[in-house]
Amino acid sequence: MSIFDQTLNRRCTNSVKWDTMEKVYELSDTTDILPMWIADMDFAPPSAVSKALQKHAEEAIFGYSYVGEEAKQAIVDWQKKRYNWHIEKESISFSHGVLSALANILTALTQQGDKVLISTPFYPPFFSIPKSNDREVVTCPLVAQDGTYVYNFEAFEQALAQNVKAYILCNPHNPGGYVWDEATLKEIIRLCAKYDVLIISDEIHADLMLDGAQHTPLAKLAGDEINRVITCMAPTKTFNLAGIQVAYIITTDKKKQMLLEAVNMASGQGSLNSFAPVALQAAYAEGLPWLEELLLYISNNMNYVIAELTQLPGIHIAKPQGTYLLWIDCRQLGLNEKELMQRLLEVGKLALEPGSKYGEEGRGFLRMNVACSFDTVKDAVARFKLALS
Protein backbone atom coordinates (compact mmCIF):
# COMPACT_ATOMS: atom_id res chain seq x y z
CA MET A 1 0.00 0.00 0.00
CA SER A 2 1.33 3.42 -0.96
CA ILE A 3 1.56 6.30 1.49
CA PHE A 4 -0.56 8.20 -1.04
CA ASP A 5 -3.48 5.76 -0.86
CA GLN A 6 -4.77 7.39 2.31
CA THR A 7 -7.79 9.61 1.73
CA LEU A 8 -7.47 12.57 4.08
CA ASN A 9 -10.45 14.60 5.30
CA ARG A 10 -9.64 18.24 4.56
CA ARG A 11 -13.07 19.77 5.02
CA CYS A 12 -13.36 22.46 7.69
CA THR A 13 -9.58 22.98 7.80
CA ASN A 14 -9.60 26.43 6.13
CA SER A 15 -8.56 24.73 2.90
CA VAL A 16 -9.07 26.87 -0.19
CA LYS A 17 -9.61 23.73 -2.24
CA TRP A 18 -12.23 22.17 0.02
CA ASP A 19 -13.78 25.04 1.95
CA THR A 20 -14.24 27.87 -0.57
CA MET A 21 -16.22 26.12 -3.30
CA GLU A 22 -19.48 27.85 -2.33
CA LYS A 23 -17.88 31.20 -3.18
CA VAL A 24 -15.85 30.04 -6.18
CA TYR A 25 -18.72 28.22 -7.88
CA GLU A 26 -21.53 30.40 -6.48
CA LEU A 27 -23.32 27.49 -4.81
CA SER A 28 -25.37 27.41 -1.62
CA ASP A 29 -24.14 23.99 -0.49
CA THR A 30 -21.02 22.06 -1.52
CA THR A 31 -20.91 19.34 1.12
CA ASP A 32 -21.44 16.61 -1.48
CA ILE A 33 -19.18 18.08 -4.18
CA LEU A 34 -15.72 16.63 -4.82
CA PRO A 35 -13.12 19.35 -5.48
CA MET A 36 -10.49 18.61 -8.11
CA TRP A 37 -9.83 22.14 -9.26
CA ILE A 38 -7.07 24.25 -7.65
CA ALA A 39 -3.47 22.96 -7.86
CA ASP A 40 -3.26 21.65 -4.31
CA MET A 41 -2.46 18.00 -3.54
CA ASP A 42 -4.51 15.99 -1.07
CA PHE A 43 -1.32 14.43 0.27
CA ALA A 44 0.63 14.99 3.47
CA PRO A 45 4.12 16.39 2.80
CA PRO A 46 7.26 14.31 3.32
CA SER A 47 7.60 13.21 6.94
CA ALA A 48 11.03 14.86 7.06
CA VAL A 49 9.38 18.23 6.47
CA SER A 50 6.77 17.68 9.17
CA LYS A 51 9.42 16.56 11.65
CA ALA A 52 11.65 19.55 10.87
CA LEU A 53 8.74 21.95 11.38
CA GLN A 54 7.74 20.27 14.64
CA LYS A 55 11.29 20.48 15.94
CA HIS A 56 11.48 24.13 14.95
CA ALA A 57 8.18 24.84 16.72
CA GLU A 58 9.44 23.19 19.91
CA GLU A 59 12.92 24.69 19.99
CA ALA A 60 12.73 28.11 18.35
CA ILE A 61 12.04 31.56 19.73
CA PHE A 62 10.02 33.33 17.07
CA GLY A 63 11.78 36.64 16.88
CA TYR A 64 13.09 38.27 13.72
CA SER A 65 14.85 35.76 11.49
CA TYR A 66 16.56 35.51 8.12
CA VAL A 67 17.20 32.76 5.58
CA GLY A 68 20.43 31.01 6.52
CA GLU A 69 23.16 29.69 4.28
CA GLU A 70 22.02 26.09 4.78
CA ALA A 71 18.69 26.75 3.07
CA LYS A 72 20.42 28.55 0.19
CA GLN A 73 22.85 25.66 -0.19
CA ALA A 74 19.91 23.23 -0.30
CA ILE A 75 18.60 25.14 -3.33
CA VAL A 76 22.00 25.09 -5.01
CA ASP A 77 22.34 21.35 -4.40
CA TRP A 78 18.80 20.64 -5.63
CA GLN A 79 19.32 22.49 -8.90
CA LYS A 80 22.59 20.69 -9.52
CA LYS A 81 21.15 17.27 -8.67
CA ARG A 82 17.89 17.64 -10.58
CA TYR A 83 18.92 19.69 -13.62
CA ASN A 84 22.71 19.80 -13.65
CA TRP A 85 22.24 23.54 -13.32
CA HIS A 86 25.02 25.26 -11.41
CA ILE A 87 23.87 28.41 -9.64
CA GLU A 88 25.50 30.60 -7.01
CA LYS A 89 23.95 31.24 -3.63
CA GLU A 90 24.39 34.94 -4.27
CA SER A 91 21.96 34.74 -7.21
CA ILE A 92 19.05 33.67 -4.96
CA SER A 93 16.44 36.07 -3.57
CA PHE A 94 13.37 35.03 -1.63
CA SER A 95 9.67 35.77 -1.88
CA HIS A 96 6.49 34.60 -0.17
CA GLY A 97 5.32 33.04 -3.44
CA VAL A 98 5.86 33.03 -7.18
CA LEU A 99 2.95 35.43 -7.68
CA SER A 100 4.33 38.01 -5.26
CA ALA A 101 7.72 37.50 -6.95
CA LEU A 102 6.12 38.25 -10.33
CA ALA A 103 4.50 41.41 -8.99
CA ASN A 104 7.79 42.61 -7.52
CA ILE A 105 9.73 41.82 -10.71
CA LEU A 106 7.27 43.81 -12.81
CA THR A 107 7.36 46.70 -10.34
CA ALA A 108 11.16 46.73 -10.19
CA LEU A 109 12.07 46.12 -13.81
CA THR A 110 9.23 47.58 -15.92
CA GLN A 111 7.29 50.83 -15.92
CA GLN A 112 3.60 51.62 -15.63
CA GLY A 113 2.00 51.27 -19.04
CA ASP A 114 4.67 48.85 -20.33
CA LYS A 115 3.51 45.89 -22.39
CA VAL A 116 3.86 42.40 -20.95
CA LEU A 117 3.48 39.42 -23.29
CA ILE A 118 1.89 36.08 -22.35
CA SER A 119 1.12 32.93 -24.37
CA THR A 120 -2.44 31.67 -23.89
CA PRO A 121 -3.97 29.42 -22.60
CA PHE A 122 -2.21 30.58 -19.47
CA TYR A 123 -2.35 30.50 -15.67
CA PRO A 124 -5.02 33.12 -14.73
CA PRO A 125 -2.99 35.24 -12.23
CA PHE A 126 -0.46 35.91 -14.99
CA PHE A 127 -3.23 37.91 -16.68
CA SER A 128 -4.38 39.72 -13.56
CA ILE A 129 -1.14 40.60 -11.79
CA PRO A 130 0.38 42.64 -14.66
CA LYS A 131 -2.97 44.42 -15.11
CA SER A 132 -3.22 45.12 -11.38
CA ASN A 133 0.21 46.72 -11.57
CA ASP A 134 -0.82 48.98 -14.46
CA ARG A 135 0.95 47.00 -17.17
CA GLU A 136 -0.69 46.27 -20.52
CA VAL A 137 -1.09 42.55 -21.23
CA VAL A 138 -0.45 41.44 -24.80
CA THR A 139 -1.44 37.88 -25.75
CA CYS A 140 0.06 35.59 -28.38
CA PRO A 141 -1.88 32.31 -28.42
CA LEU A 142 -0.13 28.98 -28.52
CA VAL A 143 -1.13 26.63 -31.33
CA ALA A 144 -2.86 23.34 -30.48
CA GLN A 145 -1.17 20.53 -32.41
CA ASP A 146 -1.39 16.75 -32.00
CA GLY A 147 -2.61 16.92 -28.41
CA THR A 148 -0.02 19.44 -27.32
CA TYR A 149 0.82 23.11 -27.85
CA VAL A 150 3.52 24.70 -29.97
CA TYR A 151 4.69 28.27 -30.54
CA ASN A 152 3.91 30.15 -33.72
CA PHE A 153 7.20 32.02 -33.70
CA GLU A 154 6.23 34.31 -36.55
CA ALA A 155 3.28 35.56 -34.49
CA PHE A 156 5.46 35.57 -31.35
CA GLU A 157 8.01 37.85 -33.02
CA GLN A 158 5.28 40.16 -34.29
CA ALA A 159 3.97 40.44 -30.73
CA LEU A 160 7.43 41.17 -29.32
CA ALA A 161 7.90 43.89 -31.92
CA GLN A 162 4.99 45.85 -30.37
CA ASN A 163 7.44 47.40 -27.89
CA VAL A 164 6.95 44.60 -25.37
CA LYS A 165 9.14 44.98 -22.29
CA ALA A 166 8.68 41.60 -20.57
CA TYR A 167 7.60 38.09 -21.49
CA ILE A 168 6.21 35.65 -18.91
CA LEU A 169 7.08 32.05 -19.73
CA CYS A 170 5.32 29.11 -18.09
CA ASN A 171 7.88 26.27 -18.12
CA PRO A 172 6.40 23.62 -17.82
CA HIS A 173 3.17 24.91 -19.29
CA ASN A 174 0.19 25.43 -17.02
CA PRO A 175 -2.56 24.33 -17.69
CA GLY A 176 -1.35 21.90 -20.35
CA GLY A 177 1.57 20.29 -18.53
CA TYR A 178 3.74 20.42 -21.64
CA VAL A 179 7.52 20.58 -21.29
CA TRP A 180 9.16 22.92 -23.78
CA ASP A 181 12.09 21.37 -25.63
CA GLU A 182 15.48 23.04 -25.89
CA ALA A 183 14.92 24.23 -29.45
CA THR A 184 11.76 26.07 -28.40
CA LEU A 185 13.42 27.60 -25.34
CA LYS A 186 16.43 28.76 -27.36
CA GLU A 187 14.20 30.42 -29.93
CA ILE A 188 12.32 32.23 -27.15
CA ILE A 189 15.64 33.51 -25.84
CA ARG A 190 16.86 34.55 -29.31
CA LEU A 191 13.74 36.52 -30.15
CA CYS A 192 13.50 38.18 -26.74
CA ALA A 193 17.14 39.20 -27.06
CA LYS A 194 16.47 40.61 -30.55
CA TYR A 195 13.77 42.91 -29.13
CA ASP A 196 15.47 43.49 -25.76
CA VAL A 197 12.68 41.84 -23.76
CA LEU A 198 13.02 40.67 -20.17
CA ILE A 199 12.04 37.00 -19.67
CA ILE A 200 10.34 35.98 -16.43
CA SER A 201 10.38 32.18 -16.33
CA ASP A 202 7.86 30.58 -13.99
CA GLU A 203 9.26 27.11 -13.25
CA ILE A 204 7.26 26.21 -10.15
CA HIS A 205 6.11 22.89 -11.69
CA ALA A 206 9.62 21.93 -12.81
CA ASP A 207 10.10 19.07 -10.34
CA LEU A 208 6.86 17.33 -11.32
CA MET A 209 8.12 15.55 -14.43
CA LEU A 210 6.34 12.33 -15.40
CA ASP A 211 7.46 9.14 -17.15
CA GLY A 212 11.07 10.20 -17.65
CA ALA A 213 10.39 13.67 -19.05
CA GLN A 214 13.20 16.15 -18.39
CA HIS A 215 12.84 19.79 -17.39
CA THR A 216 15.39 22.27 -18.71
CA PRO A 217 15.73 25.58 -16.84
CA LEU A 218 15.54 28.40 -19.35
CA ALA A 219 18.49 30.21 -17.79
CA LYS A 220 20.68 27.17 -18.27
CA LEU A 221 20.38 27.69 -22.06
CA ALA A 222 20.67 31.46 -22.06
CA GLY A 223 24.44 31.82 -22.59
CA ASP A 224 25.35 35.47 -23.11
CA GLU A 225 21.70 36.43 -22.55
CA ILE A 226 21.64 35.04 -19.01
CA ASN A 227 21.07 38.46 -17.45
CA ARG A 228 17.75 38.94 -19.24
CA VAL A 229 16.31 35.77 -17.65
CA ILE A 230 14.77 35.78 -14.19
CA THR A 231 13.70 32.38 -12.88
CA CYS A 232 10.96 31.87 -10.29
CA MET A 233 10.86 28.53 -8.47
CA ALA A 234 9.56 27.04 -5.22
CA PRO A 235 9.29 23.75 -3.32
CA THR A 236 5.62 24.41 -2.62
CA LYS A 237 4.01 22.71 -5.63
CA THR A 238 6.53 19.88 -5.50
CA PHE A 239 5.98 18.96 -1.85
CA ASN A 240 2.48 20.40 -1.24
CA LEU A 241 3.67 23.28 0.94
CA ALA A 242 1.70 26.19 -0.51
CA GLY A 243 0.50 27.27 2.93
CA ILE A 244 4.11 27.67 4.09
CA GLN A 245 4.58 30.46 1.51
CA VAL A 246 8.13 30.22 0.25
CA ALA A 247 9.54 30.84 -3.22
CA TYR A 248 12.79 32.08 -4.66
CA ILE A 249 14.05 34.12 -7.58
CA ILE A 250 17.27 33.32 -9.41
CA THR A 251 18.98 36.13 -11.30
CA THR A 252 22.62 36.63 -12.20
CA ASP A 253 22.25 40.37 -12.83
CA LYS A 254 23.28 42.13 -9.62
CA LYS A 255 21.65 45.41 -10.66
CA LYS A 256 18.30 43.68 -11.23
CA GLN A 257 18.67 41.86 -7.93
CA MET A 258 19.27 45.13 -6.09
CA LEU A 259 16.20 46.68 -7.72
CA LEU A 260 14.13 43.68 -6.63
CA GLU A 261 15.39 43.96 -3.07
CA ALA A 262 14.56 47.68 -3.08
CA VAL A 263 10.95 46.90 -4.05
CA ASN A 264 10.77 44.33 -1.25
CA MET A 265 11.96 46.91 1.24
CA ALA A 266 9.62 49.59 -0.12
CA SER A 267 6.61 47.32 0.28
CA GLY A 268 7.65 46.21 3.74
CA GLN A 269 7.74 42.54 2.80
CA GLY A 270 10.99 41.79 4.58
CA SER A 271 12.19 38.24 5.10
CA LEU A 272 10.31 34.93 5.07
CA ASN A 273 8.58 33.63 8.17
CA SER A 274 10.88 31.47 10.26
CA PHE A 275 9.17 28.19 9.25
CA ALA A 276 9.62 28.69 5.50
CA PRO A 277 13.37 28.06 5.18
CA VAL A 278 13.05 25.10 7.55
CA ALA A 279 10.47 23.46 5.29
CA LEU A 280 12.43 24.28 2.14
CA GLN A 281 15.68 22.87 3.47
CA ALA A 282 14.09 19.65 4.76
CA ALA A 283 12.16 19.11 1.52
CA TYR A 284 15.18 19.54 -0.73
CA ALA A 285 17.57 17.64 1.52
CA GLU A 286 15.35 14.65 2.37
CA GLY A 287 12.25 14.74 0.18
CA LEU A 288 13.47 13.07 -3.02
CA PRO A 289 12.27 9.49 -2.21
CA TRP A 290 8.81 10.89 -1.40
CA LEU A 291 8.81 12.83 -4.69
CA GLU A 292 9.84 9.82 -6.77
CA GLU A 293 7.00 7.74 -5.30
CA LEU A 294 4.58 10.64 -5.80
CA LEU A 295 5.39 10.99 -9.50
CA LEU A 296 4.76 7.31 -10.16
CA TYR A 297 1.48 7.48 -8.25
CA ILE A 298 0.30 10.55 -10.18
CA SER A 299 1.27 8.96 -13.48
CA ASN A 300 -0.83 5.88 -12.65
CA ASN A 301 -3.76 8.10 -11.62
CA MET A 302 -3.53 9.87 -14.96
CA ASN A 303 -3.39 6.62 -16.90
CA TYR A 304 -6.60 5.50 -15.24
CA VAL A 305 -8.47 8.76 -15.84
CA ILE A 306 -7.37 8.92 -19.48
CA ALA A 307 -8.29 5.30 -20.16
CA GLU A 308 -11.74 5.74 -18.60
CA LEU A 309 -12.78 9.16 -19.79
CA THR A 310 -11.57 8.87 -23.38
CA GLN A 311 -14.10 6.06 -23.81
CA LEU A 312 -16.75 8.79 -23.68
CA PRO A 313 -17.66 10.22 -27.10
CA GLY A 314 -16.24 13.70 -27.54
CA ILE A 315 -13.60 13.51 -24.78
CA HIS A 316 -9.90 13.72 -25.68
CA ILE A 317 -6.98 13.84 -23.22
CA ALA A 318 -3.28 13.96 -24.00
CA LYS A 319 -1.18 12.81 -21.07
CA PRO A 320 0.99 15.71 -19.88
CA GLN A 321 4.73 15.42 -19.48
CA GLY A 322 4.65 17.22 -16.17
CA THR A 323 2.43 18.49 -13.32
CA TYR A 324 -0.47 16.63 -11.72
CA LEU A 325 -3.07 18.42 -13.83
CA LEU A 326 -5.02 16.98 -16.74
CA TRP A 327 -6.17 19.28 -19.55
CA ILE A 328 -9.35 17.63 -20.82
CA ASP A 329 -10.55 18.50 -24.33
CA CYS A 330 -14.37 18.58 -24.34
CA ARG A 331 -14.82 20.65 -27.50
CA GLN A 332 -16.54 17.84 -29.40
CA LEU A 333 -19.20 17.20 -26.76
CA GLY A 334 -21.59 19.71 -28.25
CA LEU A 335 -22.02 21.51 -24.92
CA ASN A 336 -21.06 25.07 -24.15
CA GLU A 337 -18.98 25.73 -21.05
CA LYS A 338 -21.91 26.87 -18.91
CA GLU A 339 -23.88 23.71 -19.73
CA LEU A 340 -20.86 21.48 -19.09
CA MET A 341 -20.05 23.07 -15.72
CA GLN A 342 -23.71 22.89 -14.70
CA ARG A 343 -23.81 19.15 -15.43
CA LEU A 344 -20.58 18.53 -13.55
CA LEU A 345 -21.60 20.50 -10.47
CA GLU A 346 -25.31 19.67 -10.28
CA VAL A 347 -25.41 16.11 -11.61
CA GLY A 348 -21.90 14.72 -11.12
CA LYS A 349 -21.17 16.78 -7.99
CA LEU A 350 -17.65 17.37 -9.29
CA ALA A 351 -15.75 20.68 -9.25
CA LEU A 352 -13.25 21.14 -12.08
CA GLU A 353 -11.68 24.27 -13.56
CA PRO A 354 -13.40 25.69 -16.67
CA GLY A 355 -10.90 26.23 -19.46
CA SER A 356 -11.97 29.82 -20.20
CA LYS A 357 -10.24 30.87 -16.95
CA TYR A 358 -7.01 30.36 -18.89
CA GLY A 359 -7.98 32.61 -21.77
CA GLU A 360 -10.35 32.27 -24.68
CA GLU A 361 -8.08 29.59 -26.17
CA GLY A 362 -8.94 27.39 -23.18
CA ARG A 363 -12.67 27.45 -23.81
CA GLY A 364 -13.94 23.90 -24.32
CA PHE A 365 -11.35 22.40 -21.96
CA LEU A 366 -11.45 21.39 -18.30
CA ARG A 367 -8.54 21.18 -15.86
CA MET A 368 -8.58 18.27 -13.42
CA ASN A 369 -6.23 17.84 -10.46
CA VAL A 370 -5.43 14.14 -9.91
CA ALA A 371 -3.02 14.57 -7.00
CA CYS A 372 -5.21 12.60 -4.63
CA SER A 373 -5.77 9.01 -3.58
CA PHE A 374 -6.69 6.47 -6.25
CA ASP A 375 -10.03 5.92 -4.51
CA THR A 376 -10.76 9.63 -4.94
CA VAL A 377 -9.73 9.46 -8.60
CA LYS A 378 -12.11 6.55 -9.19
CA ASP A 379 -14.87 8.50 -7.48
CA ALA A 380 -14.17 11.52 -9.71
CA VAL A 381 -14.28 9.42 -12.87
CA ALA A 382 -17.64 7.96 -11.84
CA ARG A 383 -18.98 11.45 -11.15
CA PHE A 384 -17.69 12.72 -14.51
CA LYS A 385 -19.43 9.87 -16.34
CA LEU A 386 -22.63 10.49 -14.41
CA ALA A 387 -22.57 14.15 -15.37
CA LEU A 388 -22.42 13.24 -19.06
CA SER A 389 -24.78 10.28 -18.96
Side-chain angles (χ1 to χ4, degrees):
M1 182 175 177
S2 170
I3 58 173
F4 301 111
D5 281 328
Q6 184 179 6
T7 301
L8 303 175
N9 183 5
R10 300 184 63 196
R11 291 190 188 274
C12 302
T13 62
N14 294 329
S15 163
V16 170
K17 180 178 182 179
W18 286 84
D19 297 329
T20 68
M21 286 188 289
E22 291 182 6
K23 180 179 180 180
V24 171
Y25 293 96
E26 299 180 343
L27 299 170
S28 59
D29 183 15
T30 60
T31 54
D32 57 350
I33 292 181
L34 178 64
M36 300 186 75
W37 60 291
I38 196 169
D40 177 337
M41 294 190 274
D42 286 334
F43 299 134
S47 60
V49 174
S50 299
K51 290 176 182 177
L53 291 172
Q54 289 166 5
K55 181 179 179 181
H56 184 67
E58 292 168 359
E59 297 181 356
I61 296 175
F62 305 112
Y64 294 115
S65 61
Y66 61 92
V67 180
E69 294 301 307
E70 298 88 350
K72 295 178 183 178
Q73 188 61 49
I75 294 171
V76 172
D77 294 342
W78 184 260
Q79 298 303 325
K80 182 179 178 181
K81 182 190 328 181
R82 297 291 290 177
Y83 313 117
N84 196 29
W85 185 25
H86 300 267
I87 64 172
E88 301 295 331
K89 285 190 287 186
E90 292 72 25
S91 69
I92 302 170
S93 303
F94 290 92
S95 177
H96 299 286
V98 165
L99 297 182
S100 59
L102 172 63
N104 287 345
I105 292 166
L106 292 174
T107 300
L109 303 178
T110 66
Q111 303 295 320
Q112 289 185 352
D114 280 353
K115 293 180 178 179
V116 177
L117 179 64
I118 62 174
S119 300
T120 51
F122 209 50
Y123 182 48
F126 292 163
F127 291 88
S128 59
I129 287 178
K131 291 179 179 179
S132 298
N133 285 277
D134 298 319
R135 272 63 176 172
E136 179 183 348
V137 174
V138 178
T139 62
C140 181
L142 298 167
V143 178
Q145 185 179 93
D146 299 327
T148 185
Y149 287 103
V150 297
Y151 277 80
N152 177 343
F153 279 116
E154 181 178 350
F156 185 71
E157 182 169 7
Q158 291 173 355
L160 291 173
Q162 299 177 37
N163 198 30
V164 164
K165 298 301 182 183
Y167 174 59
I168 305 174
L169 171 68
C170 217
N171 179 32
H173 180 244
N174 180 10
Y178 308 112
V179 177
W180 306 117
D181 59 29
E182 290 194 10
T184 297
L185 296 175
K186 287 179 179 178
E187 185 65 2
I188 291 170
I189 294 167
R190 185 187 74 82
L191 290 172
C192 287
K194 179 178 179 180
Y195 293 93
D196 193 24
V197 173
L198 175 73
I199 309 174
I200 305 166
S201 186
D202 163 43
E203 303 188 15
I204 194 170
H205 290 278
D207 298 323
L208 297 167
M209 296 292 98
L210 303 173
D211 304 333
Q214 296 294 316
H215 171 76
T216 302
L218 182 73
K220 185 180 174 183
L221 303 176
D224 293 341
E225 299 299 330
I226 183 67
N227 284 348
R228 80 170 59 254
V229 178
I230 297 182
T231 305
C232 299
M233 305 183 93
T236 50
K237 281 288 185 287
T238 308
F239 298 102
N240 205 30
L241 302 172
I244 298 292
Q245 296 191 328
V246 54
Y248 51 94
I249 304 164
I250 300 171
T251 176
T252 57
D253 188 322
K254 297 302 180 185
K255 182 178 179 181
K256 288 185 175 70
Q257 192 175 46
M258 289 177 62
L259 290 170
L260 284 170
E261 290 174 357
V263 168
N264 269 339
M265 294 295 292
S267 61
Q269 292 188 40
S271 185
L272 301 175
N273 74 78
S274 68
F275 287 87
V278 173
L280 179 149
Q281 184 179 338
Y284 281 162
E286 302 179 69
L288 184 57
W290 180 94
L291 176 59
E292 290 174 340
E293 184 175 347
L294 169 80
L295 296 177
L296 179 60
Y297 197 91
I298 288 171
S299 179
N300 290 335
N301 278 355
M302 286 186 170
N303 291 341
Y304 176 81
V305 174
I306 293 170
E308 291 292 320
L309 294 190
T310 53
Q311 295 177 26
L312 301 174
I315 297 293
H316 302 277
I317 312 172
K319 187 175 183 181
Q321 297 165 290
T323 80
Y324 45 78
L325 306 165
L326 285 174
W327 191 232
I328 303 173
D329 186 349
C330 305
R331 291 174 295 177
Q332 295 181 17
L333 280 177
L335 298 172
N336 64 39
E337 186 173 88
K338 183 178 180 180
E339 292 169 334
L340 180 57
M341 290 300 297
Q342 185 174 19
R343 286 196 184 198
L344 287 167
L345 290 167
E346 295 182 6
V347 180
K349 303 296 183 180
L350 180 64
L352 304 182
E353 291 257 65
S356 64
K357 286 184 66 173
Y358 299 84
E360 192 58 33
E361 292 75 22
R363 189 173 296 278
F365 288 81
L366 297 166
R367 197 184 77 163
M368 174 187 278
N369 174 357
V370 299
C372 51
S373 71
F374 183 58
D375 284 344
T376 302
V377 165
K378 289 191 292 184
D379 185 13
V381 166
R383 290 167 183 250
F384 195 106
K385 290 179 176 179
L386 178 63
L388 296 184
S389 63

